[in-house]
Amino acid sequence: MTVYAIIGGTGLTQLDGLTITAALNLDTPYGAPSAPVLRGEYAGREVLFLARHGHPHRIPPHQVNYRANLWALKAAGAQAIVAVNAVGGIHEAMGTGHFCVPHQAIDYTSGRAHTFYEGELEHVTHVDFSHPYDAKLREMLCAALASEGCAHSTHGIYGCTQGPRLETVAEIARMERDGCDIVGMTGMPEAVLARELALPYACLALVVNPAAGKTTALITMAEIERALDEGMGKVKSVLARVLAG
């Protein structure tokens, strides 16, 4: 039976309902992960959970140790990963509270440690990243969203920015021209590191605010927190259905 790992983003620093059997403080060649890897039972299944930004939420997107996080999950026995991401909506369909299961990604980040293949190598390694998200996991997430009655899109392009600041109107306009449907700050290099470790990976994105220029109002943290509070219950139901399935 597949051992799933859940990476919780903003709004999901802990997984209510997880019966914890172990908190693993794992050492990795890349330093310490964001938080202990929690092993436990959720929806009747063994599951691993890692808070991407730490618990409490304290690590900004550009300082997350993505390599340590992915390495630790693999070392703990993860066989597939579902990543939960809070994002901004660019496409008109991506309103606040909408879910997206992206099928593609564009990386706008810089300066992040984005590969395991560097340093004193015996040979150069390239991984195929044509399709960054695992098709089977994406299908499972889409089916769970439909069963839960959640408004969602089964496809989308995730644009990953550096953060921690939000984007300018001009940057979002550029991203829209590039084809991006949603914008976040943590989707990369997480996805490619999972691919390098041969871990199937998919993203469950919850839209928590309109992107810059998509509303006349200022984007406030209070607005984002309200959307997170309203959406995380649905996220947990979707995750439970995926694991039970």
Side-chain angles (χ1 to χ4, degrees), residues 129-164:
F129 203 54
S130 302
H131 303 285
Y133 303 108
D134 182 77
K136 181 180 178 182
L137 270 181
R138 290 186 62 257
E139 289 174 5
M140 292 170 67
L141 284 169
C142 292
L145 286 162
S147 295
E148 290 295 320
C150 299
H152 68 284
S153 296
T154 59
H155 292 76
I157 299 177
Y158 181 124
C160 189
T161 58
Q162 180 72 353

Side-chain angles (χ1 to χ4, degrees), residues 12-228:
L12 192 64
T13 57
Q14 59 186 357
L15 187 60
D16 296 335
L18 173 67
T19 302
I20 300 171
T21 58
L24 307 175
N25 290 290
L26 298 171
D27 190 23
T28 83
Y30 307 97
S34 298
V37 175
L38 302 181
R39 175 180 285 131
E41 184 176 297
Y42 189 73
R45 287 280 294 272
E46 179 185 3
V47 68
L48 300 169
F49 178 80
L50 177 63
R52 182 189 290 118
H53 298 281
H55 182 57
H57 186 285
R58 60 184 176 82
I59 305 172
H62 66 297
Q63 292 187 322
V64 171
N65 192 338
Y66 295 96
R67 291 193 297 184
N69 286 353
L70 272 294
W71 188 276
L73 289 173
K74 177 84 170 183
Q79 296 173 313
I81 295 175
V82 175
V84 179
N85 299 78
V87 300
I90 298 176
H91 190 280
E92 61 182 8
M94 306 294 171
T96 299
H98 193 82
F99 286 92
C100 180
V101 182
H103 71 292
Q104 280 293 332
I106 300 177
D107 189 1
Y108 298 94
T109 66
S110 62
R112 299 185 181 187
H114 63 279
T115 181
F116 295 111
Y117 296 117
E118 62 182 14
E120 297 295 325
L121 301 175
E122 294 183 2
H123 56 83
V124 175
T125 301
H126 302 283
V127 296
D128 183 1
F129 203 54
S130 302
H131 303 285
Y133 303 108
D134 182 77
K136 181 180 178 182
L137 270 181
R138 290 186 62 257
E139 289 174 5
M140 292 170 67
L141 284 169
C142 292
L145 286 162
S147 295
E148 290 295 320
C150 299
H152 68 284
S153 296
T154 59
H155 292 76
I157 299 177
Y158 181 124
C160 189
T161 58
Q162 180 72 353
R165 67 168 178 84
L166 299 177
E167 301 72 33
T168 69
V169 171
E171 286 168 336
I172 292 299
R174 173 200 173 191
M175 295 177 72
E176 187 168 26
R177 290 193 298 271
D178 287 348
C180 295
D181 299 297
I182 54 177
V183 55
M185 300 176 188
T186 55
M188 290 291 290
E190 200 171 84
V192 72
L193 292 170
R195 180 63 51 86
E196 289 185 350
L197 292 175
L199 287 170
Y201 175 100
C203 167
L204 176 61
L206 170 65
V207 179
V208 296
N209 63 276
K214 297 301 174 181
T215 176
T216 57
L218 289 176
I219 299 170
T220 67
M221 288 310 299
E223 172 193 5
I224 292 172
E225 288 167 3
R226 277 197 303 272
L228 285 168

